[in-house]
Amino acid sequence: MQALPTKLAAALAPYGSDLAAEVDRSNGRKQQGTDRSRADHYLRWFHHLVDGEDIDPRLPDAPVQARNYVLACYTVALIRGETIKGLRIKLATLNKYVTAAVKIMSACQVLGCDMNPRNSPIDYVTILLDAVHKYEGVKRRREMIYDDMFHDMLAHARLRDPDGREAAILDWLILSRYTGFRAEEYCQKATKRYEEVDVPPRLWEGERTKAFIASDFEFFDERYRPLSDITTHTDISSVRYVRIRWRWQKNLDHGECIPYERDLDSPAFC
């Protein structure tokens, strides 16, 4: 308060002490501290990536799309649980982390340039946040199964019977990772009586089971030639494509056949 006249400042001092005490207790003060912690978190994350190199975390000379990509990668890290406390966070908190990072990346003035990384031609961050919003809106949702969880389950399954329960469950989980099917599309509610597709007989041929059966899976080699008699002794490296018949779908497109190709980048999974 040095800008105030000396006599006035002295007269206001008793009131100012109460004001200072209230400011220290206020949520605004706490929020400022939280915002600084989130901003520091982005800086630590960035400096860890560059491994000590002298690179400005604002990336002022990079194209806005490139800067948006960096921010999107930071968002992915947050979604995976790389937060201040090492916990996975909800969308509202995720947005606050992103906002803190955006403030840092926007804090550089370049004449005639928009330095906000969210204003890139393609905002990858919005795509990620929309996906989280959609996920959180699912009723009775379960926690996502992340890549590191799949790798851990795969390591354990290799120590078990390849035809056992653990291996079978993992196979279905991996298949769902690529196809995105719902429970009613692949499993039954009972062991002795199964649900049937609700389609007039004249529009449906063969077994009327609602869930998948063995004949719904057709395998092909790299030249798309059918591979018959697939067994546990078959050299699976010869399989390049699989065509799956979806007996029942939520969109009512029952009986649709959808082809899938082997994931050459992740052979352990597919």
Side-chain angles (χ1 to χ4, degrees):
M1 298 304 165
Q2 297 177 353
L4 297 175
T6 303
K7 187 174 182 179
L8 176 59
L12 292 174
Y15 305 102
S17 60
D18 291 343
L19 173 62
E22 185 59 31
V23 168
D24 286 337
R25 291 195 299 268
S26 69
N27 289 331
R29 185 68 173 268
K30 294 179 181 178
Q31 186 60 51
Q32 290 178 5
T34 302
D35 291 342
R36 283 196 297 270
S37 296
R38 289 170 180 156
D40 289 342
H41 180 268
Y42 166 73
L43 294 174
R44 290 195 300 272
W45 175 84
F46 184 88
H47 289 307
H48 174 73
L49 287 182
V50 300
D51 195 23
E53 287 192 43
D54 187 17
I55 301 177
D56 190 336
R58 299 172 299 179
L59 302 171
D61 298 324
V64 65
Q65 189 66 72
R67 300 170 73 245
N68 181 271
Y69 176 76
V70 173
L71 182 63
C73 289
Y74 176 60
T75 305
V76 171
L78 296 171
I79 294 173
R80 289 182 173 180
E82 297 178 26
T83 57
I84 294 174
K85 294 184 178 181
L87 301 174
R88 292 193 173 94
I89 53 180
K90 292 189 174 181
L91 179 61
T93 306
L94 178 60
N95 270 310
K96 292 176 181 179
Y97 271 91
V98 172
T99 298
V102 168
K103 287 183 178 179
I104 292 176
M105 300 182 76
S106 302
C108 49
Q109 299 297 325
V110 178
L111 186 62
C113 294
D114 182 2
M115 299 308 296
N116 187 336
R118 296 294 302 276
N119 293 336
S120 60
I122 302 175
D123 186 6
Y124 298 121
V125 178
T126 294
I127 295 173
L128 292 169
L129 297 180
D130 286 347
V132 174
H133 175 72
K134 183 178 180 180
Y135 170 71
E136 290 188 357
V138 176
K139 294 181 180 179
R140 300 193 305 274
R141 71 179 187 276
R142 298 294 183 266
E143 184 65 37
M144 294 180 182
I145 301 179
Y146 294 89
D147 290 346
D148 53 350
M149 298 180 188
F150 271 111
H151 284 289
D152 185 65
M153 289 189 290
L154 188 61
H156 282 81
R158 285 171 174 165
L159 303 176
R160 304 297 182 93
D161 181 357
D163 297 322
R165 179 180 58 186
E166 292 83 0
I169 293 175
L170 180 57
D171 284 342
W172 281 110
L173 288 174
I174 292 175
L175 184 61
S176 68
R177 166 191 173 100
Y178 290 94
T179 62
F181 50 61
R182 298 171 176 83
E184 57 265 34
E185 293 169 332
Y186 80 95
C187 65
Q188 302 173 172
K189 297 180 180 179
T191 58
K192 295 182 178 180
R193 184 177 180 180
Y194 56 82
E195 293 184 82
E196 296 185 354
V197 291
D198 186 18
V199 179
R202 61 185 175 81
L203 300 178
W204 188 270
E205 297 180 0
E207 294 289 337
R208 298 180 58 81
T209 55
K210 194 173 184 180
F212 294 127
I213 61 176
S215 60
D216 294 327
F217 296 83
E218 298 178 274
F219 300 92
F220 303 86
D221 63 14
E222 62 181 7
R223 298 177 62 182
Y224 218 82
R225 294 176 299 188
L227 296 171
S228 58
D229 301 326
I230 296 292
T231 67
T232 55
H233 302 293
T234 302
D235 180 10
I236 62 172
S237 64
S238 63
V239 179
R240 182 63 179 270
Y241 305 95
V242 60
R243 187 167 60 197
I244 302 176
R245 183 190 190 197
W246 295 74
R247 299 181 149 264
W248 184 93
Q249 295 190 90
K250 188 175 181 180
N251 62 5
L252 303 182
D253 192 4
H254 309 317
E256 180 183 13
C257 293
I258 302 177
Y260 299 89
E261 184 178 3
R262 175 187 289 273
D263 185 352
L264 298 179
D265 293 328
S266 304
F269 291 118
C270 180

